[in-house]
């Protein structure tokens, strides 16, 4: 007899958890204890579904490191009881939270699927039902008694992505997310098609380990034409600053002005970690390919390769929490830990 998968559905907040009061027209929080009554289609999945809702739902704009830890701890405390987890989250910062959880869970052996919606679950044209139903189905996929997916994924509008490869690209369309540097892990159509070659393979002989030590003393510095020395000096002189995600042009190019390189070189020598990523949503940093990135490489800027901004921020916070030496930090950051870079 086929085993019924046990799925824990965690509502953290966001549009997907809202339902319209048709008497007033206002949106109110959906009661997830009545999930099966309101979405009877879930009964067809033949999974055991338990729900857990945060007492105070969090708008995704208010997400922070403490919230990430709360979500991770909730999953960790229930890890042995369930076969898979679905996290309902606001779409605006979903890629940040999902990327963070991918680093927090080392050697993850069960699926953690993030999803949300552009319209509330009670809206007539909502995308919430399909996203929710398919996410639960994906979290419950098993083969020979083992989960098919063993990583943190993000499902939206018929596609499952590796979470730490995603970025939100549209605030209005149902197809709100993209993963330009890595193919979808699964696609939903008439059939649910899994790209098995793209899946992350954990070491099932080792237990899943949770890491919660993050440092949020970071910032994103986006290079733009006309950026000046006073601005860069001011931003990089923030008290307590430990790491910077430097968003450069194209394949990792930045101004070759002496003042710019001098500031970076001095800050790096004082212990600041600087990671170079591209502003483009697709493609990779290749430091040294052009003259404008050769000097960045020489002064100790770390290459983010083809990592997304969201994953770069999460990975930087994660590694800063480890208090690594510059050499070890560079080696580990430039290494793919959870499939976040090629």
């Amino acid at each position: 007899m086929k085993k019924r998968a046990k799925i824990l559905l965690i509502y953290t907040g966001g549009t997907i958890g809202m339902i319209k009061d048709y008497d007033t027209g206002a949106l109110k929080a959906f009661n997830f204890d009545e999930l099966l009554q309101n979405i009877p289609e879930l009964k067809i999945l033949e999974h055991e579904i338990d729900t857990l809702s945060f007492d105070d739902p969090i708008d995704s704009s208010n997400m922070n490191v403490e919230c990430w830890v709360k979500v991770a701890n909730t999953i960790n405390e229930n890890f042995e009881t369930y076969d898979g987890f679905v996290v309902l989250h606001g779409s605006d910062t979903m890629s940040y939270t999902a990327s963070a959880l991918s680093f927090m869970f080392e050697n993850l052996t069960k699926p953690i699927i993030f999803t949300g919606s552009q319209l509330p679950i009670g809206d007539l044209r909502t995308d919430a039902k399909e996203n929710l139903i398919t996410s639960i189905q994906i979290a419950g996929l098993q083969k020979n008694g083992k989960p098919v997916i063993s990583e943190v994924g993000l499902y939206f509008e018929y596609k499952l992505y590796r979470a730490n490869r995603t970025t939100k690209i549209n605030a209005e369309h149902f197809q709100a997310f993209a993963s330009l540097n890595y193919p979808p892990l699964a696609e939903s159509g008439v059939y649910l098609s899994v790209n098995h070659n793209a899946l992350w393979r954990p070491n099932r002989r080792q237990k899943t380990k949770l890491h919660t030590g993050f440092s949020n003393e970071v910032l994103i510095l986006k290079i733009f034409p006309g950026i000046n020395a006073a601005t860069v000096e001011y931003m990089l002189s923030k008290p307590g600053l430990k790491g910077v995600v430097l968003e450069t042009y194209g394949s990792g190019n930045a101004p070759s002005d002496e003042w710019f390189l001098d500031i970076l070189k001095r800050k790096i020598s004082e212990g600041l970690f600087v990671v170079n990523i591209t502003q483009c949503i697709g493609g990779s940093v290749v430091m040294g390919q052009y003259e404008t990135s050769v000097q960045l490489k020489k002064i100790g800027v770390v290459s983010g390769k083809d990592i997304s901004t969201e994953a770069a921020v999460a990975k930087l916070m994660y590694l800063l929490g480890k208090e690594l030496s510059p050499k070890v930090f560079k080696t580990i950051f430039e290494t793919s830990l959870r499939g976040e870079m090629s």
Side-chain angles (χ1 to χ4, degrees):
M1 185 176 176
K2 187 177 178 182
K3 178 189 172 187
R4 286 165 58 89
K6 289 191 68 175
I7 306 299
L8 180 60
L9 181 66
I10 304 169
Y11 175 59
T12 67
T15 300
I16 193 170
M18 308 304 288
I19 191 165
K20 184 176 287 186
D21 184 325
Y22 288 101
D23 292 331
T24 64
L27 294 175
K28 60 181 181 180
F30 182 75
N31 184 353
F32 279 89
D33 292 334
E34 301 172 0
L35 186 65
L36 290 177
Q37 286 72 32
N38 285 275
I39 310 177
E41 296 94 332
L42 291 176
K43 295 179 182 178
I44 303 173
L45 293 177
E46 298 181 345
H47 295 325
E48 288 184 48
I49 304 169
D50 289 335
T51 62
L52 190 156
S53 181
F54 282 12
D55 293 334
D56 297 308
I58 305 165
D59 187 287
S60 68
S61 298
N62 291 323
M63 276 288 171
N64 54 36
V65 174
E66 289 73 25
C67 297
W68 296 348
V69 172
K70 182 178 180 180
V71 176
N73 280 334
T74 299
I75 293 171
N76 193 54
E77 289 163 6
N78 293 278
F79 198 78
E80 298 303 323
T81 305
Y82 294 92
D83 299 302
F85 303 86
V86 174
V87 180
L88 305 184
H89 191 290
S91 62
D92 286 348
T93 60
M94 189 187 299
S95 289
Y96 286 97
T97 303
S99 293
L101 260 72
S102 76
F103 295 114
M104 295 170 88
F105 284 97
E106 180 182 353
N107 201 51
L108 183 63
T109 55
K110 296 179 181 181
I112 300 174
I113 310 299
F114 278 75
T115 195
S117 65
Q118 295 286 64
L119 290 174
I121 203 165
D123 196 278
L124 184 63
R125 297 190 309 107
T126 186
D127 55 331
K129 284 190 177 182
E130 196 283 322
N131 286 348
L132 175 59
I133 291 168
T134 307
S135 293
I136 293 173
Q137 184 180 10
I138 289 169
L141 286 177
Q142 295 188 352
K143 184 177 181 180
N144 300 324
K146 302 288 185 182
V148 172
I149 310 295
S150 299
E151 59 181 290
V152 182
L154 189 157
Y155 181 81
F156 228 88
E157 189 65 6
Y158 306 119
K159 290 184 179 180
L160 174 70
Y161 302 109
R162 175 166 296 157
N164 58 33
R165 290 287 195 154
T166 62
T167 189
K168 186 174 181 183
I169 59 167
N170 201 298
E172 296 180 354
H173 294 174
F174 287 150
Q175 191 172 345
F177 290 86
S179 170
L180 295 188
N181 288 332
Y182 201 76
L185 305 181
E187 296 193 49
S188 175
V190 175
Y191 303 102
L192 184 60
S193 175
V194 178
N195 183 357
H196 290 275
N197 291 331
L199 298 180
W200 185 253
R201 309 289 180 186
N203 184 345
R204 296 192 182 276
R205 291 174 294 182
Q206 296 181 6
K207 286 189 174 183
T208 299
K209 183 179 179 182
L210 177 64
H211 301 265
T212 57
F214 275 55
S215 171
N216 63 356
E217 291 296 342
V218 305
L219 62 79
I220 299 172
L221 177 58
K222 187 167 186 172
I223 301 301
F224 59 89
I227 193 170
N228 57 59
T231 299
V232 175
E233 180 71 43
Y234 180 81
M235 293 185 71
L236 300 192
S237 296
K238 174 191 173 295
L241 184 65
K242 295 181 179 179
V244 174
V245 173
L246 185 67
E247 284 195 353
T248 56
Y249 306 126
S251 58
N253 305 310
S256 54
D257 297 315
E258 190 172 329
W259 65 262
F260 181 73
L261 295 170
D262 284 347
I263 293 174
L264 286 184
K265 185 177 181 180
R266 173 163 43 87
K267 295 299 180 181
I268 291 172
S269 70
E270 293 172 356
L272 185 67
F273 293 97
V274 180
V275 177
N276 185 8
I277 69 169
T278 177
Q279 295 179 13
C280 306
I281 62 170
S284 177
V285 159
V286 186
M287 291 208 300
Q289 182 174 7
Y290 293 95
E291 187 177 348
T292 45
S293 66
V294 168
Q295 293 302 317
L296 295 180
K297 187 175 182 179
K298 284 184 177 179
I299 64 175
V301 172
V302 177
S303 175
K305 300 182 180 179
D306 63 348
I307 197 170
S308 67
T309 297
E310 293 88 341
V313 169
K315 189 173 184 178
L316 181 58
M317 288 182 173
Y318 168 68
L319 291 181
L320 288 175
K322 303 292 184 185
E323 298 185 351
L324 307 169
S325 69
K327 184 176 181 180
V328 174
F329 176 92
K330 176 179 169 62
T331 298
I332 296 178
F333 198 99
E334 293 182 351
T335 301
S336 178
L337 300 180
R338 312 284 191 261
E340 74 279 1
M341 58 172 59
S342 301

